[in-house]
Amino acid sequence: MTVTKVKAPFRADQVGSLLRTETLKQAKKDFKEGKINAEQLREVELQEIKKIVDKQIEAGLQVVTEGEFGRDWWHSTFMEHLLGAEGYIPEQGYNFASQETDPYDVRLVGKVAYNPNHPFFQQAKDLLEIVGDRAVAKFTIPSPNQFFHPDILNGQYKDFDEFAPDIIAAYRETIQEFYRIGVRYLQLDDVYLAVIATAPFSPEEKKYRAELAVHVVNSILEGKPEDLTVTTHVCRGNYRSDYSFAGGYDDIAPIIFANEKVDGFFLEYDDERSGSFEPLKYIPKGGPRVVLGLVTSKTGKLENKETIKARVEEASQYVPLEQLCISPQCGFASTHHGNILTEEEQWAKLKFVAETAKEIWG
């Protein structure tokens, strides 16, 4: 593989997850019912991943993902396979705006550490082989900040400060292995940043949490190879077209936007819940690209191109146009349930992003 730095994020990019196909849904159901084994399930996953990779390229995207077809939940399927962690079924799920999720979570049962046999490494290899040189393959994992919850720590550490060095070490080695495999575009999905931005913490608590979040991400990126692109997606929750958090980026922007050393920020801006573009003024000029999530993945209704162009122009008052990109605001299926839209509407959205970006940037 060549080691030329990927020009990512792309003008037309995407967050990652895609609606599970009916064939894949049936295979996962058969697996859970014991009708097929893990190897047979993976065969179906790969068959369907090949199809969606082709569809993404046909939509005009330069960057493709495996749609998170090998996982049930965007975060827990990765987190539970680090050493010292396990998945479990709690008494209740997460509370979203209008519903409660299926109960499933992750907790620590020991000191967290790198797992050299993490199943995501093989998934990344498979994606790279399927894509070849036809496009850039992006692989997504949850941010290490997703572990910063008392329920997840589960009494294994006395506080976040004691925990931070171990999760940093685990992620550093994980990133190195992804790079060794051939991954050159990696995305960290981070709901925790939205928690900090919108939760009623005191100013002092917000500052502590935001500074710790930046420290952890910057620490895992220390010594990052020059030709590895790492971005972060600030997510407000995505479950069956519902959301968890509402509010702008104002409270975290002076710390997160100004100091987190990623190559790009994927920011949700598909409705009024996201606040204004003004916090983008903290993004360093000439620094990370800002991917404006202006196209919603929560409904199938297609946006108006002129409206999107006007929104990009508005954002360019705070970040130069050459530093901006566009994408859907989130994935289409952060969990295996998927959002409430059809596969045809999903592909239309991605094609719309590619076409609109081409009209803006050429």
Side-chain angles (χ1 to χ4, degrees), residues 3-6 8 137 139 172 174-180 182-187 220-221 223-231 261-263:
V3 292
T4 303
K5 180 153 178 84
V6 173
F139 205 76
R172 271 184 184 164
T174 299
I175 291 174
Q176 289 170 5
E177 181 61 13
F178 276 126
Y179 182 81
R180 189 193 67 77
V183 172
R184 293 297 181 268
Y185 188 4
L186 187 68
Q187 179 177 293
I220 70 172
L221 297 180
K224 177 180 74 68
E226 179 63 28
D227 58 322
L228 174 63
T229 295
V230 179
T231 60
K261 296 177 181 178
V262 290
D263 297 299

Side-chain angles (χ1 to χ4, degrees), residues 59-161:
L61 295 172
Q62 294 176 277
V63 54
V64 300
T65 75
E66 38 89 77
E68 301 182 3
F69 276 21
R71 61 187 96 170
D72 281 347
W73 299 76
W74 67 273
H75 59 320
S76 58
T77 310
F78 173 86
M79 295 164 69
E80 67 188 355
H81 283 102
L82 288 180
L83 298 184
E86 71 169 9
Y88 74 105
I89 299 176
E91 292 184 2
Q92 64 182 54
Y94 295 105
N95 289 318
F96 270 57
S98 61
Q99 62 189 300
E100 182 182 306
T101 70
D102 287 350
Y104 196 81
D105 210 339
V106 175
R107 63 189 172 195
L108 297 184
V109 292
K111 299 301 181 183
V112 72
Y114 164 70
N115 179 5
N117 298 311
H118 199 294
F120 275 34
F121 296 143
Q122 184 60 51
Q123 291 182 19
K125 289 179 183 178
D126 291 337
L127 175 63
L128 290 166
E129 183 177 346
I130 290 170
V131 175
D133 60 1
R134 297 182 295 157
V136 172
K138 175 164 78 169
F139 205 76
T140 65
I141 61 174
S143 166
N145 295 326
Q146 287 304 122
F147 282 87
F148 285 91
H149 191 288
D151 289 347
I152 295 177
L153 295 191
N154 194 32
Q156 299 299 319
Y157 295 85
K158 66 179 181 180
D159 55 28
F160 293 161
D161 289 326

